[in-house]
Each structure stands twice: as C-alpha cells, then as structure tokens.
Amino acid sequence: MASKTLCYIFSTIVFLLQLHFSAGQTVVKSAYWFSGSGFPASSIDSSLFTHLFCAFADLNPTTYQVTISSSNSALFSTFTRTVQQKNPSVKTLLSIGGGNANASTIASMASQASTRKTFIDSSINLARSNNFHGLDLDWEYPSSASQMTNFGLLINEWRTAVANEAKNSGKAALLLSAAVFRTSSYYGGFNYPFQAISKSLDWINVMAYEFYGPSWSPKEAGPPAALYNITASQISVDTGIKAWIQAVSPKKVVLGVPFFGFAWRLVNANSHGIFAPANGAAITSGGAIAYSKIKDFIAQTSATTVFNSTIVTNYCYSGTTWIGYDDTQSISTKVTYARGKGLLGFFAWQLAQDPNSVLSKTGFGLEGEKEEKKKRKIEQTEE
Ligand SMILES: *[C@@H]1O[C@H](CO)[C@@H](O)[C@H](O)[C@H]1NC(C)=O
Ligand SMILES: *[C@@H]1O[C@H](CO)[C@@H](O)[C@H](O)[C@H]1NC(C)=O
Ligand SMILES: *[C@@H]1O[C@H](CO)[C@@H](O)[C@H](O)[C@H]1NC(C)=O
C-alpha cells in the first residue's frame, strides 16, 4: 500500500517535471538524407535525431503514381531498419518531389480529384511496403492561387486517406508533412492554404535558406540564410517565420537550417563585408558548397572567418572568394530562436554536407543531451 502511494507520488512528480520541461523544448529534430549524395544511410548518427527524411520518391508524369527509382529501391526499403540500428525510436518519412522534381507535374496531379487519389493511394502503399512512418511532400513551389487551392485539397484528402488506412490496418497513422517556402505566401502574393495545413499536416518544414545565391544574386554576396534583417528589403529567417506563425500555430512549424553555403567571386578582395560587390559564383558552378567543404577551404586557404551576431550569419573570405554559410554559432542561435518562438522543431538540409555531424551535434545534439540528462535524473529520483 505504502509503496503504491509512493509510486503514485513519484509518477505525479515525474509527470509535473515532464510538463515543466516540455515548455520551450523542440519535439522534432530532423534532417534530410539525400540518396543522390552518396552518403551511406548507415553513416547517419541517428541518435541525434527524432525524425529522418529519406529523399526523394518520384512522381510518374503520366500515371501520377508515386514511385521509387530502381537505383534507390534497395536503399529506401532498408532505410528505416538501417537508421534504427543506432536509434530504435527514430521515425522515418519518405519525401516526395524535391528541388529537381518537375513542379508542373505535381501541379497537374493536384488539379484533379482522380489523379490526387492515384498519388495518395500509391504514396501510402509505398510508405507501408517500405516501412516508413510517414510521408513528406516537397513541392517547389505551388505558384498560383489555383495551385495553392489544389495543394489544400490534396493534403485534406491525403489526411482522410491516411486516417482511414490506419483504422483499417490497425497501425499508427502515417505522419504527413510538407516542405514549404520560406514565408507564408509565394512570389506574387499567393498564400498557402493555411486552414488545410492546420487541419491536415502534422507539420511544415519551412525552407528558411537560399535567400541569396550567386545564380540569382550575382552582383552582391548576400547572407544565404541570416536570422535577422537590418533593412526592410533584406530577406531573413525571422521575417518568414513571423509570417508563418501568424498564419498557422507555431506547433506546426519546423525551421529549416542549411548544412551548405554559397560562394561568390568578389569584385575587389579588399571589399569583403556582407553584401560586398560580387561577380557571380566561385568554387562550384552555382556557388553551392557543403559545410564540410567550406571547412576544408578555410583550412587550406587560411581564410578569415566572421560570425555576425547582429543578423546571425557566418562568412569567410580569402582573396576574391567569399562564402556565406551557417556554422555552429548560427545554427545554435537558430535552435534557441526556434525554442523561444515555441516552434515544433527544426530540420537540416542535408546530412551528407555535414558528414562528421559537427553541425548536428552543436545545434541538435547538445540540446538532446541536456534532455537526456534530465530524463536520467528523473529516473534516478524514481528509484
Ligand atoms: C514538366 O512537366 C510538364 C507537364 O507535365 C512538361 O510539359 C514539361 O516538359 C516538363 N519539364 C521538364 C523539364 O521535364
Ligand atoms: C525586416 O524585413 C521585414 C520585411 O520586409 C520588415 O517588415 C522589417 O521591418 C525588417 N526589419 C528591419 C529591422 O528592418
Ligand atoms: C553585421 O552585418 C550588418 C550588415 O548586414 C552590418 O551592418 C553590421 O555592421 C555587421 N555587424 C558587425 C558586428 O560586423
């Protein structure tokens, strides 16, 4: 009897502690694994994450079925089992589409009820037969009022189908997420379907990066994913996130951070501040460069590195090469920001660009470790 009472008291304490700790914590710590990177799924330190996205499944332009290419089929079907070896509780989502997918094909699928149904049914079958816990749509981007409306119809019907499938199969419902633009409306002022997102998606992955890059901003070396702007014309994470959390609950919002930067060729090696005059890309053809390659560049050229804490961005320069990127300071400031705003969590694009988990450990893992410590303390109290 006494031990039962004690048990009750302890579980109440544990419950209250959990309530206390849940405030200001992020629930989703996630990243995309991109099969095209060649980074083996077995090398992912999945203990740092709650969710992993497996990218990408394709959309057949004629049948509108979701498919997995033959070169990916063995990798995708073993993905969940592979990443669960280091973390049995990590959840996996099959991501469909992506930046290289044909957005018109997705738009045309979403424009008719019958093709939406083909997409939905085939995606659910594919998720189940390949052991994923959820599905993610990366449509870059719905770009007209009717495409936004159709996106809303698609996710509402998807949610209904996923709920029915769960009821019939007796399994937990598949998770549903979508990767979305950095702010709540696309160029031209087309708003995302906020009600449908709130009702039908578990969360949105806000792609809060690629604000400036040499391909579309060749003349100035802009910060590719700064947290804050100091003039109204500068693009920032904060502006987009504020718009999103006015439109949907912060608990639907997962903040994207880049594990890559962009390299520009400076006009003048002595003019190397943020927004310095530039002349297109350096290092790679579009200037995109992985975090690990940026660190190699810094080591090899003894480049000067700067963290600007006002707008929260890192950059480095050597000679006429200038690279804007997120290092540990930017990532951890953004993680703190996400917690402060009550966001559901954050995700990174993409794992191969940080093969030694330097960024994952700073931004994601430390927080995870702190939580682990708290849990361990609670368990000790219980004993
Ligand atoms: C994209 O899809 C549309 C319609 O499905 C097609 O007309 C167009 O040729 C495709 N574009 C590319 C680059 O494949
Ligand atoms: C940042 O940009 C937004 C959108 O243009 C603007 O409303 C805001 O005032 C800007 N912040 C500053 C400090 O200029
Ligand atoms: C940070 O960057 C902004 C330009 O975006 C600049 O005005 C400011 O002076 C920089 N701060 C420092 C400490 O360099």
Side-chain angles (χ1 to χ4, degrees):
M1 191 65 200
S3 77
K4 254 191 192 164
T5 314
L6 268 182
C7 239
Y8 174 75
I9 292 169
F10 279 131
S11 48
T12 308
I13 291 171
V14 169
F15 176 70
L16 289 174
L17 284 172
Q18 278 168 347
L19 263 190
H20 174 70
F21 287 135
S22 69
Q25 268 180 17
T26 45
V27 175
V28 172
K29 294 169 208 157
S30 60
Y32 283 80
W33 172 76
F34 176 49
S35 65
S37 68
F39 186 66
S42 56
S43 298
I44 301 172
D45 185 356
S46 49
S47 67
L48 300 173
F49 303 101
T50 59
H51 298 80
L52 290 167
F53 297 89
C54 176
F56 286 106
D58 310 305
L59 183 58
N60 182 299
T62 332
T63 66
Y64 298 112
Q65 300 238 356
V66 181
T67 60
I68 294 173
S69 70
S70 56
S71 56
N72 280 337
S73 69
L75 296 171
F76 284 25
S77 67
T78 54
F79 183 77
T80 302
R81 203 188 327 142
T82 303
V83 298
Q84 284 193 335
Q85 276 167 8
K86 285 177 202 154
N87 177 3
S89 60
V90 72
K91 300 277 186 285
T92 60
L93 293 91
L94 176 63
S95 187
I96 305 161
N100 294 328
N102 186 335
S104 328
T105 303
I106 305 178
S108 110
M109 172 278 291
S111 69
Q112 287 182 45
S114 61
T115 48
R116 288 195 298 268
K117 184 169 169 17
T118 304
F119 168 91
I120 288 166
D121 293 346
S122 61
S123 72
I124 294 172
N125 282 336
L126 215 50
R128 287 303 190 198
S129 59
N130 288 277
N131 294 315
F132 290 100
H133 303 99
L135 288 158
D136 173 61
L137 175 61
D138 188 355
W139 175 357
E140 296 185 22
Y141 292 96
S143 51
S144 68
S146 64
Q147 288 185 19
M148 287 297 185
T149 304
N150 294 339
F151 178 62
L153 294 173
L154 175 68
I155 58 180
N156 284 342
E157 292 162 13
W158 214 4
R159 170 56 63 192
T160 304
V162 156
N164 285 336
E165 189 271 345
K167 212 189 296 161
N168 294 337
S169 68
K171 294 178 183 161
L174 291 167
L175 295 165
L176 283 186
S177 66
V180 297
F181 191 52
R182 62 178 153 82
T183 187
S184 60
S185 66
Y186 195 63
Y187 294 111
F190 304 115
N191 281 344
Y192 271 89
F194 305 136
Q195 270 190 330
I197 287 174
S198 302
K199 189 177 97 177
S200 298
L201 293 180
D202 288 289
W203 68 79
I204 49 173
N205 283 345
V206 177
M207 289 184 267
Y209 42 77
E210 300 193 337
F211 303 157
Y212 299 92
S215 300
W216 60 101
S217 173
K219 297 284 166 212
E220 55 178 15
L227 181 53
Y228 298 110
N229 51 305
I230 51 165
T231 69
S233 63
Q234 272 170 255
I235 305 169
S236 73
V237 172
D238 181 54
T239 304
I241 291 298
K242 278 185 181 147
W244 268 119
I245 61 184
Q246 258 184 349
V248 302
S249 158
K251 285 291 162 224
K252 289 279 169 187
V253 175
V254 169
L255 170 64
V257 297
F259 282 181
F260 65 99
F262 284 105
W264 278 261
R265 180 71 55 218
L266 295 173
V267 169
N268 176 348
N270 296 319
S271 175
H272 45 59
I274 296 169
F275 294 114
N279 210 341
I283 303 183
T284 69
S285 66
I289 173 167
Y291 174 70
S292 60
K293 297 281 189 288
I294 297 170
K295 297 303 271 193
D296 291 347
F297 171 83
I298 293 166
Q300 282 156 15
T301 64
S302 306
T304 307
T305 58
V306 182
F307 171 57
N308 181 309
S309 61
T310 312
I311 64 166
V312 185
T313 192
N314 292 87
Y315 63 95
C316 68
Y317 54 89
S318 172
T320 55
T321 304
W322 189 98
I323 307 176
Y325 64 106
D326 277 19
D327 208 325
T328 52
Q329 302 98 324
S330 295
I331 301 278
S332 57
T333 309
K334 288 178 180 181
V335 168
T336 305
Y337 170 92
R339 270 192 254 138
K341 287 267 189 266
L343 307 187
L344 184 66
F346 38 88
F347 79 88
W349 175 269
Q350 45 107 345
L351 286 164
Q353 297 165 327
D354 180 31
N356 301 320
S357 303
V358 177
L359 296 177
S360 297
K361 276 186 186 139
T362 311
F364 300 22
L366 282 184
E367 189 194 24
E369 272 169 34
K370 272 187 229 146
E371 277 172 25
E372 273 310 304
K373 267 190 208 143
K374 279 176 198 158
K375 267 191 224 151
R376 258 181 267 136
K377 263 193 203 146
I378 292 166
E379 276 160 17
Q380 281 162 8
T381 320
E382 240 176 340
E383 276 157 13

